[in-house]
Amino acid sequence: MSQGAPVPEHQQRRISDEQFRDATLIWNYHQMGHELRSCSAAIGLGSHDLGVATTATDLYHAGFFPVVVFSGGNSPTTRARFPRGEAVHYREHALSLGVPDRAILVEPKAANTGQNITLSRELLVEAGIQVQSLLLISKPYMERRSYATCRKLWPEVEVVCASEPLELDDYIKSIGDEKLVVDMLVGDLQRVIEYPKLGFAVEQGVPDDVHDAYERLLGEGFDSRLIDR
C-alpha cells in the first residue's frame, strides 16, 4: 500500500460527501485503464509515494518487463522522506523485495516528469536497451499526466500506464490527509489542462462532468498544488 508521512490530526480536514464524489470523478479520470502487457522496459516515476516502487516490484515479478529505471532526485515534498533521493530509495525498496540489482537502473537527477522521461530514455539508450514499448509506473492520480508527457517527449514508443491498484478512499487513508489528496488531484488535472499549451504534454479531452467537478473543488479551496497560469 502507498505510504505517506503521518499527518497530525489538527492539520487534516474532513471533506463532504459531495466533495468526495467530485474527487472520485477526477481520480477515475486520471487513471488510463490500460490493460497490462509485457513491455521492453519500465520507468518508475519518483515521488513521495513508495507504492510506485512496490508496484514496480510486483509487475517485475509478474514478468511484465526485464528492466526498470527508477527516476527522481529530490523535491521540497520528498527531501525529508527520501534524503538520498527518490530513485535511490525506490531501488533500495525494490531490492529488499527481491528485484535483482541487474534489473534496476537509477536515474537520480530528474526534478519533474519531463526530466523523468528524457533522462530515463537517455539512460536506457546508454545501457543498450531497445525500447519499443514502455510500462510507465506512477502514483494512481498521475497516470494521465505521465502518459501525456511521454507521448509528447517520446512519441515513437508505445506507452502502457500502471499504478498501485487502490480506490480513492484507500489512497486517502494511506496518506492520512483528505484535503491534501484532493488538492493533489486538482493540481494534476490543472496540469493535464495547462501543460499542452506550454508544450510539455499532448492534449487530452476532459469530460464535462470532470471539468465541472474540478471547477467546484477549485471554488471550495482545494488549490494548494496549483501552478501559476
Side-chain angles (χ1 to χ4, degrees), residues 117 146-159 201-202:
I117 302 300
S146 60
Y147 173 82
T149 304
C150 193
R151 293 295 300 133
K152 180 70 176 183
L153 298 176
W154 201 349
E156 64 271 28
V157 75
E158 183 178 352
V159 181
V202 299

Side-chain angles (χ1 to χ4, degrees), residues 73-88:
N74 262 325
S75 72
T77 59
T78 65
R79 188 168 291 111
R81 180 165 174 72
F82 299 133
R84 293 184 301 283
E86 298 155 5
V88 171

Side-chain angles (χ1 to χ4, degrees), residues 49-108:
D49 191 344
L50 199 60
V52 175
T54 303
T55 301
T57 295
D58 292 342
L59 296 176
Y60 172 80
H61 287 311
F64 283 106
F65 54 84
V67 62
V68 58
V69 179
F70 288 126
S71 174
N74 262 325
S75 72
T77 59
T78 65
R79 188 168 291 111
R81 180 165 174 72
F82 299 133
R84 293 184 301 283
E86 298 155 5
V88 171
H89 283 267
Y90 278 18
R91 172 184 175 273
E92 291 170 353
H93 186 61
L95 289 172
S96 76
L97 296 175
V99 179
D101 190 50
R102 66 179 181 277
I104 301 173
L105 299 174
V106 172
E107 185 293 295

